[in-house]
Amino acid sequence: MVQTRRATVEDLPQMLEIYNDVILNTTAVYEYNPHTLEMRKQWFETKQQQGFPVFVAEDNGEVVGFSSIGPFRAWAAYKYSVENSIYVKSICRGRGISKLLMQPLIEASKQLGMHTIIAGIDATNEASIALHKKFGFEEVAHFKQVGYKFDRWLDLKFLQLIL
C-alpha cells in the first residue's frame, strides 16, 4: 500500500533516479542533462532552508514518487505564491500516486500562509493537467513554443489554484 510522508536525505538516491528518468524520457522537465546526487542534495537543503516541504510516496519501502513546493519567482512580492512539482516513477504512473502527493502540498501551502499554487506543465502532459484540474487548478496561461527538447518546440501551460 502506498503511503506518503516527508522526504529525508536517505530518499534522495531514489528521488534522483525518478527525476533523471523524467529528464531523459519526458517533457515534464525542460532540462537536457541528468542531475547528480550532489545537485539533489543541494536542492533538498535549499528546500529545507526555505521552509518548503518535500514529500515522498513509498510502496513497500521503495520511493515511487515525490512532490515539492518552492518559490514561484524570487522577488519579494511573490512571497505568497509557490510552484509545485510532482514526479512518479515511470512504471508506477496511472496508479493514483500523484493524487496522494498533491494533497499534502496543498495542505502545506495553506499552513505556510501561501495564497496561490502555480503549476507549469508541458501542454502535451494531459495526465498532469487533468490531475491539477481535479484539485481545482484552473488554466491561466498557455505559452507557445517556449521550450525545445527532443527536436521539437514545446508549449507550456500555467495552472493556478487560489487557496
PDB file of all heavy atoms in Angstrom, residues 55-93:
ATOM      1  N   PHE A  55       7.722  15.792  -0.158  1.00  0.00           N
ATOM      2  CA  PHE A  55       7.032  14.565   0.237  1.00  0.00           C
ATOM      3  C   PHE A  55       7.430  13.420  -0.691  1.00  0.00           C
ATOM      4  O   PHE A  55       7.739  13.653  -1.862  1.00  0.00           O
ATOM      5  CB  PHE A  55       5.504  14.753   0.167  1.00  0.00           C
ATOM      6  CG  PHE A  55       5.001  15.801   1.107  1.00  0.00           C
ATOM      7  CD1 PHE A  55       4.765  17.095   0.659  1.00  0.00           C
ATOM      8  CD2 PHE A  55       4.773  15.510   2.442  1.00  0.00           C
ATOM      9  CE1 PHE A  55       4.311  18.081   1.519  1.00  0.00           C
ATOM     10  CE2 PHE A  55       4.311  16.489   3.321  1.00  0.00           C
ATOM     11  CZ  PHE A  55       4.085  17.781   2.854  1.00  0.00           C
ATOM     12  N   VAL A  56       7.400  12.204  -0.164  1.00  0.00           N
ATOM     13  CA  VAL A  56       7.612  11.024  -0.996  1.00  0.00           C
ATOM     14  C   VAL A  56       6.405  10.106  -0.854  1.00  0.00           C
ATOM     15  O   VAL A  56       5.718  10.103   0.172  1.00  0.00           O
ATOM     16  CB  VAL A  56       8.900  10.235  -0.640  1.00  0.00           C
ATOM     17  CG1 VAL A  56      10.144  11.051  -0.954  1.00  0.00           C
ATOM     18  CG2 VAL A  56       8.893   9.761   0.792  1.00  0.00           C
ATOM     19  N   ALA A  57       6.164   9.355  -1.911  1.00  0.00           N
ATOM     20  CA  ALA A  57       5.209   8.249  -1.877  1.00  0.00           C
ATOM     21  C   ALA A  57       6.058   6.992  -1.812  1.00  0.00           C
ATOM     22  O   ALA A  57       6.989   6.816  -2.605  1.00  0.00           O
ATOM     23  CB  ALA A  57       4.327   8.245  -3.121  1.00  0.00           C
ATOM     24  N   GLU A  58       5.742   6.137  -0.856  1.00  0.00           N
ATOM     25  CA  GLU A  58       6.546   4.945  -0.616  1.00  0.00           C
ATOM     26  C   GLU A  58       5.648   3.716  -0.719  1.00  0.00           C
ATOM     27  O   GLU A  58       4.539   3.705  -0.191  1.00  0.00           O
ATOM     28  CB  GLU A  58       7.159   5.057   0.784  1.00  0.00           C
ATOM     29  CG  GLU A  58       8.168   4.001   1.104  1.00  0.00           C
ATOM     30  CD  GLU A  58       8.784   4.258   2.477  1.00  0.00           C
ATOM     31  OE1 GLU A  58       8.034   4.338   3.472  1.00  0.00           O
ATOM     32  OE2 GLU A  58      10.004   4.369   2.535  1.00  0.00           O
ATOM     33  N   ASP A  59       6.142   2.721  -1.410  1.00  0.00           N
ATOM     34  CA  ASP A  59       5.419   1.459  -1.571  1.00  0.00           C
ATOM     35  C   ASP A  59       6.355   0.326  -1.165  1.00  0.00           C
ATOM     36  O   ASP A  59       7.366   0.080  -1.831  1.00  0.00           O
ATOM     37  CB  ASP A  59       4.968   1.295  -3.021  1.00  0.00           C
ATOM     38  CG  ASP A  59       4.009   0.126  -3.221  1.00  0.00           C
ATOM     39  OD1 ASP A  59       3.585  -0.477  -2.224  1.00  0.00           O
ATOM     40  OD2 ASP A  59       3.708  -0.185  -4.389  1.00  0.00           O
ATOM     41  N   ASN A  60       6.072  -0.306  -0.047  1.00  0.00           N
ATOM     42  CA  ASN A  60       6.917  -1.387   0.474  1.00  0.00           C
ATOM     43  C   ASN A  60       8.385  -0.979   0.584  1.00  0.00           C
ATOM     44  O   ASN A  60       9.281  -1.706   0.150  1.00  0.00           O
ATOM     45  CB  ASN A  60       6.781  -2.648  -0.386  1.00  0.00           C
ATOM     46  CG  ASN A  60       5.409  -3.261  -0.274  1.00  0.00           C
ATOM     47  OD1 ASN A  60       4.843  -3.323   0.817  1.00  0.00           O
ATOM     48  ND2 ASN A  60       4.860  -3.705  -1.392  1.00  0.00           N
ATOM     49  N   GLY A  61       8.623   0.199   1.131  1.00  0.00           N
ATOM     50  CA  GLY A  61       9.980   0.665   1.351  1.00  0.00           C
ATOM     51  C   GLY A  61      10.650   1.299   0.148  1.00  0.00           C
ATOM     52  O   GLY A  61      11.774   1.775   0.254  1.00  0.00           O
ATOM     53  N   GLU A  62       9.979   1.329  -0.997  1.00  0.00           N
ATOM     54  CA  GLU A  62      10.544   1.907  -2.217  1.00  0.00           C
ATOM     55  C   GLU A  62       9.880   3.246  -2.503  1.00  0.00           C
ATOM     56  O   GLU A  62       8.651   3.363  -2.468  1.00  0.00           O
ATOM     57  CB  GLU A  62      10.309   0.971  -3.407  1.00  0.00           C
ATOM     58  CG  GLU A  62      10.825   1.526  -4.712  1.00  0.00           C
ATOM     59  CD  GLU A  62      10.441   0.676  -5.919  1.00  0.00           C
ATOM     60  OE1 GLU A  62       9.660  -0.286  -5.767  1.00  0.00           O
ATOM     61  OE2 GLU A  62      10.923   0.995  -7.008  1.00  0.00           O
ATOM     62  N   VAL A  63      10.695   4.266  -2.785  1.00  0.00           N
ATOM     63  CA  VAL A  63      10.161   5.570  -3.174  1.00  0.00           C
ATOM     64  C   VAL A  63       9.665   5.458  -4.611  1.00  0.00           C
ATOM     65  O   VAL A  63      10.431   5.127  -5.515  1.00  0.00           O
ATOM     66  CB  VAL A  63      11.228   6.679  -3.040  1.00  0.00           C
ATOM     67  CG1 VAL A  63      10.709   7.998  -3.600  1.00  0.00           C
ATOM     68  CG2 VAL A  63      11.643   6.845  -1.583  1.00  0.00           C
ATOM     69  N   VAL A  64       8.373   5.717  -4.802  1.00  0.00           N
ATOM     70  CA  VAL A  64       7.774   5.592  -6.136  1.00  0.00           C
ATOM     71  C   VAL A  64       7.332   6.949  -6.694  1.00  0.00           C
ATOM     72  O   VAL A  64       6.832   7.035  -7.813  1.00  0.00           O
ATOM     73  CB  VAL A  64       6.593   4.599  -6.140  1.00  0.00           C
ATOM     74  CG1 VAL A  64       7.102   3.177  -5.864  1.00  0.00           C
ATOM     75  CG2 VAL A  64       5.515   5.000  -5.146  1.00  0.00           C
ATOM     76  N   GLY A  65       7.539   8.004  -5.917  1.00  0.00           N
ATOM     77  CA  GLY A  65       7.212   9.343  -6.381  1.00  0.00           C
ATOM     78  C   GLY A  65       7.581  10.362  -5.328  1.00  0.00           C
ATOM     79  O   GLY A  65       7.832  10.009  -4.171  1.00  0.00           O
ATOM     80  N   PHE A  66       7.636  11.630  -5.751  1.00  0.00           N
ATOM     81  CA  PHE A  66       7.889  12.704  -4.792  1.00  0.00           C
ATOM     82  C   PHE A  66       7.264  13.993  -5.284  1.00  0.00           C
ATOM     83  O   PHE A  66       6.962  14.146  -6.464  1.00  0.00           O
ATOM     84  CB  PHE A  66       9.388  12.867  -4.504  1.00  0.00           C
ATOM     85  CG  PHE A  66      10.219  13.385  -5.639  1.00  0.00           C
ATOM     86  CD1 PHE A  66      10.530  14.737  -5.742  1.00  0.00           C
ATOM     87  CD2 PHE A  66      10.726  12.517  -6.600  1.00  0.00           C
ATOM     88  CE1 PHE A  66      11.316  15.207  -6.785  1.00  0.00           C
ATOM     89  CE2 PHE A  66      11.519  12.986  -7.643  1.00  0.00           C
ATOM     90  CZ  PHE A  66      11.815  14.339  -7.734  1.00  0.00           C
ATOM     91  N   SER A  67       7.041  14.896  -4.334  1.00  0.00           N
ATOM     92  CA  SER A  67       6.445  16.180  -4.660  1.00  0.00           C
ATOM     93  C   SER A  67       7.053  17.259  -3.774  1.00  0.00           C
ATOM     94  O   SER A  67       7.566  16.979  -2.693  1.00  0.00           O
ATOM     95  CB  SER A  67       4.927  16.139  -4.473  1.00  0.00           C
ATOM     96  OG  SER A  67       4.579  15.892  -3.130  1.00  0.00           O
ATOM     97  N   SER A  68       6.966  18.494  -4.269  1.00  0.00           N
ATOM     98  CA  SER A  68       7.500  19.614  -3.504  1.00  0.00           C
ATOM     99  C   SER A  68       6.833  20.913  -3.949  1.00  0.00           C
ATOM    100  O   SER A  68       6.192  20.970  -4.999  1.00  0.00           O
ATOM    101  CB  SER A  68       9.019  19.712  -3.678  1.00  0.00           C
ATOM    102  OG  SER A  68       9.335  20.040  -5.020  1.00  0.00           O
ATOM    103  N   ILE A  69       7.005  21.914  -3.101  1.00  0.00           N
ATOM    104  CA  ILE A  69       6.661  23.278  -3.493  1.00  0.00           C
ATOM    105  C   ILE A  69       7.899  24.126  -3.293  1.00  0.00           C
ATOM    106  O   ILE A  69       8.814  23.761  -2.538  1.00  0.00           O
ATOM    107  CB  ILE A  69       5.482  23.856  -2.677  1.00  0.00           C
ATOM    108  CG1 ILE A  69       5.735  23.740  -1.173  1.00  0.00           C
ATOM    109  CG2 ILE A  69       4.172  23.229  -3.102  1.00  0.00           C
ATOM    110  CD1 ILE A  69       4.684  24.426  -0.309  1.00  0.00           C
ATOM    111  N   GLY A  70       7.928  25.237  -4.001  1.00  0.00           N
ATOM    112  CA  GLY A  70       9.046  26.163  -3.882  1.00  0.00           C
ATOM    113  C   GLY A  70       8.636  27.515  -4.404  1.00  0.00           C
ATOM    114  O   GLY A  70       7.502  27.692  -4.882  1.00  0.00           O
ATOM    115  N   PRO A  71       9.529  28.480  -4.310  1.00  0.00           N
ATOM    116  CA  PRO A  71       9.189  29.830  -4.755  1.00  0.00           C
ATOM    117  C   PRO A  71       8.749  29.850  -6.218  1.00  0.00           C
ATOM    118  O   PRO A  71       9.332  29.161  -7.049  1.00  0.00           O
ATOM    119  CB  PRO A  71      10.493  30.606  -4.588  1.00  0.00           C
ATOM    120  CG  PRO A  71      11.372  29.763  -3.744  1.00  0.00           C
ATOM    121  CD  PRO A  71      10.912  28.354  -3.896  1.00  0.00           C
ATOM    122  N   PHE A  72       7.719  30.647  -6.494  1.00  0.00           N
ATOM    123  CA  PHE A  72       7.292  30.829  -7.878  1.00  0.00           C
ATOM    124  C   PHE A  72       8.271  31.740  -8.602  1.00  0.00           C
ATOM    125  O   PHE A  72       8.716  31.424  -9.705  1.00  0.00           O
ATOM    126  CB  PHE A  72       5.870  31.395  -7.928  1.00  0.00           C
ATOM    127  CG  PHE A  72       5.446  31.803  -9.308  1.00  0.00           C
ATOM    128  CD1 PHE A  72       5.348  30.864 -10.332  1.00  0.00           C
ATOM    129  CD2 PHE A  72       5.147  33.121  -9.595  1.00  0.00           C
ATOM    130  CE1 PHE A  72       4.971  31.238 -11.615  1.00  0.00           C
ATOM    131  CE2 PHE A  72       4.759  33.503 -10.874  1.00  0.00           C
ATOM    132  CZ  PHE A  72       4.675  32.562 -11.879  1.00  0.00           C
ATOM    133  N   ARG A  73       8.598  32.845  -8.005  1.00  0.00           N
ATOM    134  CA  ARG A  73       9.618  33.758  -8.533  1.00  0.00           C
ATOM    135  C   ARG A  73      10.355  34.341  -7.337  1.00  0.00           C
ATOM    136  O   ARG A  73       9.847  34.331  -6.227  1.00  0.00           O
ATOM    137  CB  ARG A  73       8.974  34.859  -9.375  1.00  0.00           C
ATOM    138  CG  ARG A  73       8.211  34.256 -10.574  1.00  0.00           C
ATOM    139  CD  ARG A  73       7.713  35.297 -11.502  1.00  0.00           C
ATOM    140  NE  ARG A  73       8.749  35.515 -12.518  1.00  0.00           N
ATOM    141  CZ  ARG A  73       8.645  36.424 -13.468  1.00  0.00           C
ATOM    142  NH1 ARG A  73       7.596  37.208 -13.538  1.00  0.00           N
ATOM    143  NH2 ARG A  73       9.601  36.567 -14.353  1.00  0.00           N
ATOM    144  N   ALA A  74      11.536  34.871  -7.584  1.00  0.00           N
ATOM    145  CA  ALA A  74      12.427  35.268  -6.496  1.00  0.00           C
ATOM    146  C   ALA A  74      12.093  36.625  -5.856  1.00  0.00           C
ATOM    147  O   ALA A  74      12.541  36.891  -4.752  1.00  0.00           O
ATOM    148  CB  ALA A  74      13.871  35.288  -6.997  1.00  0.00           C
ATOM    149  N   TRP A  75      11.326  37.472  -6.502  1.00  0.00           N
ATOM    150  CA  TRP A  75      11.079  38.812  -5.959  1.00  0.00           C
ATOM    151  C   TRP A  75      10.147  38.780  -4.767  1.00  0.00           C
ATOM    152  O   TRP A  75       9.239  37.955  -4.672  1.00  0.00           O
ATOM    153  CB  TRP A  75      10.534  39.725  -7.057  1.00  0.00           C
ATOM    154  CG  TRP A  75      11.533  39.925  -8.148  1.00  0.00           C
ATOM    155  CD1 TRP A  75      12.705  40.633  -8.085  1.00  0.00           C
ATOM    156  CD2 TRP A  75      11.481  39.382  -9.466  1.00  0.00           C
ATOM    157  NE1 TRP A  75      13.368  40.564  -9.283  1.00  0.00           N
ATOM    158  CE2 TRP A  75      12.634  39.799 -10.157  1.00  0.00           C
ATOM    159  CE3 TRP A  75      10.564  38.582 -10.144  1.00  0.00           C
ATOM    160  CZ2 TRP A  75      12.894  39.456 -11.467  1.00  0.00           C
ATOM    161  CZ3 TRP A  75      10.827  38.233 -11.451  1.00  0.00           C
ATOM    162  CH2 TRP A  75      11.984  38.675 -12.091  1.00  0.00           C
ATOM    163  N   ALA A  76      10.320  39.734  -3.851  1.00  0.00           N
ATOM    164  CA  ALA A  76       9.614  39.762  -2.566  1.00  0.00           C
ATOM    165  C   ALA A  76       8.094  39.737  -2.705  1.00  0.00           C
ATOM    166  O   ALA A  76       7.411  39.087  -1.904  1.00  0.00           O
ATOM    167  CB  ALA A  76      10.034  41.003  -1.770  1.00  0.00           C
ATOM    168  N   ALA A  77       7.540  40.409  -3.674  1.00  0.00           N
ATOM    169  CA  ALA A  77       6.083  40.493  -3.803  1.00  0.00           C
ATOM    170  C   ALA A  77       5.439  39.148  -4.157  1.00  0.00           C
ATOM    171  O   ALA A  77       4.220  39.001  -4.041  1.00  0.00           O
ATOM    172  CB  ALA A  77       5.698  41.548  -4.844  1.00  0.00           C
ATOM    173  N   TYR A  78       6.247  38.175  -4.566  1.00  0.00           N
ATOM    174  CA  TYR A  78       5.730  36.838  -4.880  1.00  0.00           C
ATOM    175  C   TYR A  78       5.778  35.892  -3.673  1.00  0.00           C
ATOM    176  O   TYR A  78       5.550  34.697  -3.818  1.00  0.00           O
ATOM    177  CB  TYR A  78       6.532  36.208  -6.016  1.00  0.00           C
ATOM    178  CG  TYR A  78       6.339  36.862  -7.358  1.00  0.00           C
ATOM    179  CD1 TYR A  78       7.333  37.678  -7.897  1.00  0.00           C
ATOM    180  CD2 TYR A  78       5.186  36.654  -8.106  1.00  0.00           C
ATOM    181  CE1 TYR A  78       7.175  38.274  -9.141  1.00  0.00           C
ATOM    182  CE2 TYR A  78       5.011  37.240  -9.347  1.00  0.00           C
ATOM    183  CZ  TYR A  78       6.008  38.053  -9.847  1.00  0.00           C
ATOM    184  OH  TYR A  78       5.846  38.633 -11.074  1.00  0.00           O
ATOM    185  N   LYS A  79       6.052  36.423  -2.484  1.00  0.00           N
ATOM    186  CA  LYS A  79       6.292  35.559  -1.320  1.00  0.00           C
ATOM    187  C   LYS A  79       5.102  34.712  -0.904  1.00  0.00           C
ATOM    188  O   LYS A  79       5.259  33.761  -0.141  1.00  0.00           O
ATOM    189  CB  LYS A  79       6.806  36.375  -0.145  1.00  0.00           C
ATOM    190  CG  LYS A  79       5.802  37.338   0.443  1.00  0.00           C
ATOM    191  CD  LYS A  79       6.441  38.141   1.562  1.00  0.00           C
ATOM    192  CE  LYS A  79       5.456  39.181   2.102  1.00  0.00           C
ATOM    193  NZ  LYS A  79       6.077  39.936   3.182  1.00  0.00           N
ATOM    194  N   TYR A  80       3.903  35.011  -1.398  1.00  0.00           N
ATOM    195  CA  TYR A  80       2.727  34.204  -1.065  1.00  0.00           C
ATOM    196  C   TYR A  80       2.322  33.283  -2.215  1.00  0.00           C
ATOM    197  O   TYR A  80       1.230  32.712  -2.199  1.00  0.00           O
ATOM    198  CB  TYR A  80       1.557  35.115  -0.683  1.00  0.00           C
ATOM    199  CG  TYR A  80       1.871  35.947   0.550  1.00  0.00           C
ATOM    200  CD1 TYR A  80       2.111  37.308   0.441  1.00  0.00           C
ATOM    201  CD2 TYR A  80       1.949  35.355   1.805  1.00  0.00           C
ATOM    202  CE1 TYR A  80       2.411  38.068   1.563  1.00  0.00           C
ATOM    203  CE2 TYR A  80       2.250  36.099   2.926  1.00  0.00           C
ATOM    204  CZ  TYR A  80       2.478  37.457   2.799  1.00  0.00           C
ATOM    205  OH  TYR A  80       2.795  38.191   3.907  1.00  0.00           O
ATOM    206  N   SER A  81       3.205  33.128  -3.190  1.00  0.00           N
ATOM    207  CA  SER A  81       2.958  32.252  -4.344  1.00  0.00           C
ATOM    208  C   SER A  81       4.030  31.173  -4.384  1.00  0.00           C
ATOM    209  O   SER A  81       5.210  31.463  -4.221  1.00  0.00           O
ATOM    210  CB  SER A  81       3.022  33.058  -5.648  1.00  0.00           C
ATOM    211  OG  SER A  81       2.058  34.091  -5.638  1.00  0.00           O
ATOM    212  N   VAL A  82       3.596  29.936  -4.590  1.00  0.00           N
ATOM    213  CA  VAL A  82       4.536  28.831  -4.731  1.00  0.00           C
ATOM    214  C   VAL A  82       4.250  28.076  -6.018  1.00  0.00           C
ATOM    215  O   VAL A  82       3.153  28.154  -6.575  1.00  0.00           O
ATOM    216  CB  VAL A  82       4.491  27.848  -3.538  1.00  0.00           C
ATOM    217  CG1 VAL A  82       5.087  28.460  -2.294  1.00  0.00           C
ATOM    218  CG2 VAL A  82       3.091  27.326  -3.280  1.00  0.00           C
ATOM    219  N   GLU A  83       5.258  27.360  -6.489  1.00  0.00           N
ATOM    220  CA  GLU A  83       5.114  26.472  -7.644  1.00  0.00           C
ATOM    221  C   GLU A  83       5.250  25.046  -7.145  1.00  0.00           C
ATOM    222  O   GLU A  83       6.080  24.768  -6.284  1.00  0.00           O
ATOM    223  CB  GLU A  83       6.175  26.787  -8.697  1.00  0.00           C
ATOM    224  CG  GLU A  83       5.985  26.005  -9.972  1.00  0.00           C
ATOM    225  CD  GLU A  83       6.854  26.500 -11.119  1.00  0.00           C
ATOM    226  OE1 GLU A  83       7.662  27.432 -10.922  1.00  0.00           O
ATOM    227  OE2 GLU A  83       6.733  25.925 -12.215  1.00  0.00           O
ATOM    228  N   ASN A  84       4.436  24.160  -7.680  1.00  0.00           N
ATOM    229  CA  ASN A  84       4.506  22.769  -7.243  1.00  0.00           C
ATOM    230  C   ASN A  84       5.128  21.882  -8.304  1.00  0.00           C
ATOM    231  O   ASN A  84       5.148  22.223  -9.482  1.00  0.00           O
ATOM    232  CB  ASN A  84       3.117  22.248  -6.850  1.00  0.00           C
ATOM    233  CG  ASN A  84       2.227  21.955  -8.032  1.00  0.00           C
ATOM    234  OD1 ASN A  84       2.232  22.659  -9.027  1.00  0.00           O
ATOM    235  ND2 ASN A  84       1.434  20.910  -7.922  1.00  0.00           N
ATOM    236  N   SER A  85       5.629  20.743  -7.849  1.00  0.00           N
ATOM    237  CA  SER A  85       6.201  19.719  -8.725  1.00  0.00           C
ATOM    238  C   SER A  85       5.831  18.350  -8.174  1.00  0.00           C
ATOM    239  O   SER A  85       5.888  18.134  -6.957  1.00  0.00           O
ATOM    240  CB  SER A  85       7.733  19.822  -8.760  1.00  0.00           C
ATOM    241  OG  SER A  85       8.148  21.063  -9.253  1.00  0.00           O
ATOM    242  N   ILE A  86       5.460  17.453  -9.076  1.00  0.00           N
ATOM    243  CA  ILE A  86       5.151  16.074  -8.705  1.00  0.00           C
ATOM    244  C   ILE A  86       5.765  15.152  -9.753  1.00  0.00           C
ATOM    245  O   ILE A  86       5.555  15.368 -10.954  1.00  0.00           O
ATOM    246  CB  ILE A  86       3.625  15.819  -8.640  1.00  0.00           C
ATOM    247  CG1 ILE A  86       2.974  16.741  -7.608  1.00  0.00           C
ATOM    248  CG2 ILE A  86       3.332  14.352  -8.323  1.00  0.00           C
ATOM    249  CD1 ILE A  86       1.463  16.655  -7.581  1.00  0.00           C
ATOM    250  N   TYR A  87       6.498  14.153  -9.295  1.00  0.00           N
ATOM    251  CA  TYR A  87       7.128  13.189 -10.201  1.00  0.00           C
ATOM    252  C   TYR A  87       6.878  11.779  -9.679  1.00  0.00           C
ATOM    253  O   TYR A  87       7.015  11.514  -8.485  1.00  0.00           O
ATOM    254  CB  TYR A  87       8.633  13.437 -10.306  1.00  0.00           C
ATOM    255  CG  TYR A  87       8.956  14.851 -10.729  1.00  0.00           C
ATOM    256  CD1 TYR A  87       9.409  15.786  -9.811  1.00  0.00           C
ATOM    257  CD2 TYR A  87       8.760  15.252 -12.047  1.00  0.00           C
ATOM    258  CE1 TYR A  87       9.674  17.088 -10.191  1.00  0.00           C
ATOM    259  CE2 TYR A  87       9.020  16.552 -12.430  1.00  0.00           C
ATOM    260  CZ  TYR A  87       9.481  17.467 -11.500  1.00  0.00           C
ATOM    261  OH  TYR A  87       9.725  18.762 -11.894  1.00  0.00           O
ATOM    262  N   VAL A  88       6.525  10.875 -10.608  1.00  0.00           N
ATOM    263  CA  VAL A  88       6.241   9.493 -10.246  1.00  0.00           C
ATOM    264  C   VAL A  88       7.104   8.570 -11.099  1.00  0.00           C
ATOM    265  O   VAL A  88       7.309   8.818 -12.294  1.00  0.00           O
ATOM    266  CB  VAL A  88       4.732   9.176 -10.446  1.00  0.00           C
ATOM    267  CG1 VAL A  88       4.433   7.706 -10.200  1.00  0.00           C
ATOM    268  CG2 VAL A  88       3.888  10.057  -9.533  1.00  0.00           C
ATOM    269  N   LYS A  89       7.593   7.525 -10.486  1.00  0.00           N
ATOM    270  CA  LYS A  89       8.387   6.513 -11.176  1.00  0.00           C
ATOM    271  C   LYS A  89       7.608   6.002 -12.388  1.00  0.00           C
ATOM    272  O   LYS A  89       6.406   5.730 -12.297  1.00  0.00           O
ATOM    273  CB  LYS A  89       8.690   5.372 -10.199  1.00  0.00           C
ATOM    274  CG  LYS A  89       9.708   4.393 -10.689  1.00  0.00           C
ATOM    275  CD  LYS A  89      10.078   3.428  -9.565  1.00  0.00           C
ATOM    276  CE  LYS A  89      11.205   2.541 -10.037  1.00  0.00           C
ATOM    277  NZ  LYS A  89      11.755   1.746  -8.945  1.00  0.00           N
ATOM    278  N   SER A  90       8.291   5.846 -13.515  1.00  0.00           N
ATOM    279  CA  SER A  90       7.613   5.553 -14.786  1.00  0.00           C
ATOM    280  C   SER A  90       6.718   4.317 -14.722  1.00  0.00           C
ATOM    281  O   SER A  90       5.595   4.347 -15.221  1.00  0.00           O
ATOM    282  CB  SER A  90       8.624   5.421 -15.923  1.00  0.00           C
ATOM    283  OG  SER A  90       9.522   4.363 -15.674  1.00  0.00           O
ATOM    284  N   ILE A  91       7.175   3.245 -14.088  1.00  0.00           N
ATOM    285  CA  ILE A  91       6.367   2.020 -14.060  1.00  0.00           C
ATOM    286  C   ILE A  91       5.196   2.102 -13.071  1.00  0.00           C
ATOM    287  O   ILE A  91       4.366   1.201 -13.022  1.00  0.00           O
ATOM    288  CB  ILE A  91       7.225   0.763 -13.756  1.00  0.00           C
ATOM    289  CG1 ILE A  91       7.869   0.866 -12.372  1.00  0.00           C
ATOM    290  CG2 ILE A  91       8.251   0.529 -14.842  1.00  0.00           C
ATOM    291  CD1 ILE A  91       8.510  -0.420 -11.909  1.00  0.00           C
ATOM    292  N   CYS A  92       5.133   3.190 -12.304  1.00  0.00           N
ATOM    293  CA  CYS A  92       4.076   3.348 -11.301  1.00  0.00           C
ATOM    294  C   CYS A  92       3.038   4.398 -11.686  1.00  0.00           C
ATOM    295  O   CYS A  92       2.094   4.641 -10.930  1.00  0.00           O
ATOM    296  CB  CYS A  92       4.699   3.715  -9.953  1.00  0.00           C
ATOM    297  SG  CYS A  92       5.799   2.451  -9.306  1.00  0.00           S
ATOM    298  N   ARG A  93       3.211   5.016 -12.838  1.00  0.00           N
ATOM    299  CA  ARG A  93       2.259   6.049 -13.250  1.00  0.00           C
ATOM    300  C   ARG A  93       0.893   5.435 -13.540  1.00  0.00           C
ATOM    301  O   ARG A  93       0.794   4.296 -13.962  1.00  0.00           O
ATOM    302  CB  ARG A  93       2.790   6.799 -14.469  1.00  0.00           C
ATOM    303  CG  ARG A  93       4.026   7.606 -14.126  1.00  0.00           C
ATOM    304  CD  ARG A  93       4.585   8.392 -15.291  1.00  0.00           C
ATOM    305  NE  ARG A  93       5.914   8.878 -14.916  1.00  0.00           N
ATOM    306  CZ  ARG A  93       6.967   8.883 -15.703  1.00  0.00           C
ATOM    307  NH1 ARG A  93       6.860   8.486 -16.954  1.00  0.00           N
ATOM    308  NH2 ARG A  93       8.129   9.312 -15.262  1.00  0.00           N
TER     309      ARG A  93
END
